[in-house]
């Protein structure tokens, strides 16, 4: 058996496939006790286009490759910023020592 959110998604997909209007589905879900944000999220998962079956909207995904690449880039950025900060603080310190 699927999770309640999966069941909600299947219900919305089936209701849209049978020709029910989005407002009717939203009202039915509200009467059944579903929170408005979950009901709206399930309804918004499908595009509002006229087609014989419900058309799902693309969902943003993040692959492991993307996560690794972002982690590598942010680590490099952090290390570069830390290096520049240390260099400039050291340079400032030496200039102050020379001036003294």
């Amino acid at each position: 058996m699927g999770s309640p959110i999966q069941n909600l998604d299947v219900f919305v997909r089936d209701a849209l496939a049978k020709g029910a209007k989005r407002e009717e589905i939203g009202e039915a879900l509200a009467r059944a006790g579903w929170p408005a944000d979950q009901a709206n999220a399930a309804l918004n998962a499908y595009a509002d286009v006229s087609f014989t079956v419900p058309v799902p909207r693309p969902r943003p995904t993040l692959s492991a490759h993307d996560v690794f690449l972002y982690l590598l880039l942010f680590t490099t950025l952090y290390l570069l910023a830390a290096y520049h900060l240390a260099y400039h603080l050291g340079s400032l310190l030496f200039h102050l020592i020379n001036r003294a």
Side-chain angles (χ1 to χ4, degrees):
M1 183 167 198
S3 72
I5 299 299
Q6 288 174 333
N7 292 340
L8 177 62
D9 188 50
V10 170
F11 170 78
V12 169
R13 184 186 66 222
D14 291 346
L16 288 171
K18 292 189 192 286
K21 300 209 180 299
R22 290 177 175 270
E23 295 81 21
E24 295 171 343
I25 298 169
E27 290 171 6
L29 292 172
R31 284 193 310 266
W34 284 94
D37 59 334
Q38 288 180 356
N40 289 335
L43 284 168
N44 290 334
Y46 295 96
D48 193 11
V49 295
S50 58
F51 195 66
T52 55
V53 294
V55 179
R57 292 180 190 219
R59 294 181 182 174
T61 58
L62 192 63
S63 68
H65 177 266
D66 293 336
V67 170
F68 175 74
L69 187 62
Y70 290 148
L71 183 63
L72 181 66
L73 288 173
F74 281 118
T75 302
T76 304
L77 178 66
Y78 172 75
L79 291 175
L80 222 83
Y83 169 76
H84 281 282
L85 178 67
Y87 174 80
H88 290 294
L89 284 178
S91 178
L92 179 65
L93 181 65
F94 280 114
H95 283 296
L96 291 174
I97 290 172
N98 285 337
R99 195 171 251 299

